[in-house]
Amino acid sequence: EAGVVQSPRYKIIEKKQPVAFWCNPISGHNTLYWYLQNLGQGPELLIRYENEEAVDDSQLPKDRFSAERLKGVDSTLKIQPAELGDSAVYLCASSSAGAEQFFGPGTRLTVL
Amino acid sequence: QQQVKQSPQSLIVQKGGISIINCAYENTAFDYFPWYQQFPGKGPALLIAIRPDVSEKKEGRFTISFNKSAKQFSLHIMDSQPGDSATYFCAASTGFQKLVFGTGTRLLVSP
């Protein structure tokens, strides 16, 4: 079974530039999560999707972050404009209903 | 009340020894307590998990001990091996979905 796929794995941008991350969940998993992991910290949930619907986006900084999950499969997380403090690892995870979460390898973002 | 406190921050154990990592929580609504293992450059991977209706769960060399009254749970790694060197995160949630993670423990098992 293929795992959660994320791209790119690494991204370096200058502040104020836009950036987007892509996630392909495990086939058949209807729930998709985006997490932020700062260096030396545990992951923190940004947004959770059930199929196409964002059911929990309370921790997503909506002034600069946006996400979408068209057709209830792949998802994209965008930051515009990026700030220095956005440097972190962005993790995507997926699960089937009422089951454990499986994480992707993450995208390491560096904002200069 | 949503926090999960994890200790120690780092741990060095000799090969063959027992590694013990502790976590504490406040939210009594939490009913799912997983432990994740993360290697550098990788995402967290589920290691073992427990529900509050049991006090202990063992899978191979990994054991979770759970104390509901104290609102604490711990991970024990028996016969620790160099390949166990990684960062370990405890987490808690109501149901499986909104996981709240601890701050992580960096384990180094010396040969």
Side-chain angles (χ1 to χ4, degrees):
Chain A
E1 178 182 270
V4 176
V5 179
Q6 290 188 247
S7 69
R9 291 296 316 279
Y10 305 91
K11 189 74 176 180
I12 300 174
I13 62 171
E14 293 191 345
K15 63 180 180 182
K16 300 186 181 179
Q17 294 300 305
V19 64
F21 315 122
W22 176 80
C23 173
N24 181 243
I26 293 173
S27 177
H29 283 189
N30 61 319
T31 307
L32 184 145
Y33 313 76
W34 282 103
Y35 287 86
L36 166 70
Q37 186 174 25
N38 286 304
L39 186 64
Q41 299 294 316
E44 299 172 38
L45 181 68
L46 289 172
I47 189 168
R48 173 169 64 95
Y49 281 92
E50 296 287 349
N51 301 305
E52 301 91 352
E53 183 182 0
V55 296
D56 185 354
D57 63 356
S58 57
Q59 301 303 312
L60 189 72
K62 298 180 184 63
D63 57 336
R64 298 184 300 106
F65 287 65
S66 64
E68 61 182 12
R69 192 184 184 196
L70 302 176
K71 301 181 181 179
V73 180
D74 295 1
S75 178
T76 302
L77 178 69
K78 298 178 182 178
I79 308 175
Q80 183 172 11
E83 297 179 352
L84 295 176
D86 296 332
S87 295
V89 175
Y90 291 83
L91 293 163
C92 179
S94 70
S95 70
S96 51
E100 66 183 84
Q101 298 181 32
F102 292 85
F103 284 80
T107 296
R108 181 177 295 276
L109 173 67
T110 301
V111 182
L112 303 176
Chain B
Q1 197 180 28
Q2 287 296 320
Q3 282 186 324
V4 177
K5 295 182 179 179
Q6 184 171 347
S7 64
Q9 190 173 23
S10 62
L11 182 62
I12 300 175
V13 173
Q14 285 197 334
K15 179 182 175 182
I18 303 173
S19 304
I20 302 174
I21 305 171
N22 301 297
C23 284
Y25 64 97
E26 289 295 326
N27 189 347
T28 55
F30 287 150
D31 61 3
Y32 175 64
F33 302 89
W35 284 89
Y36 283 82
Q37 179 187 57
Q38 187 175 29
F39 293 103
K42 305 289 187 183
L46 180 65
L47 195 60
I48 186 173
I50 198 168
R51 294 283 211 173
D53 52 344
V54 296
S55 60
E56 186 175 282
K57 182 174 181 180
K58 183 176 181 178
E59 290 184 2
R61 297 184 294 109
F62 302 92
T63 300
I64 299 180
S65 296
F66 185 82
N67 185 328
K68 188 175 181 178
S69 61
K71 292 184 284 186
Q72 295 174 348
F73 59 111
S74 60
L75 176 69
H76 291 63
I77 306 175
M78 311 301 288
D79 187 25
S80 298
Q81 299 295 312
D84 297 330
S85 298
T87 300
Y88 292 82
F89 293 96
C90 62
S93 68
T94 304
F96 287 92
Q97 294 173 334
K98 192 162 186 174
L99 288 172
V100 177
F101 283 84
T103 51
T105 296
R106 183 173 291 186
L107 171 65
L108 177 64
V109 181
S110 59

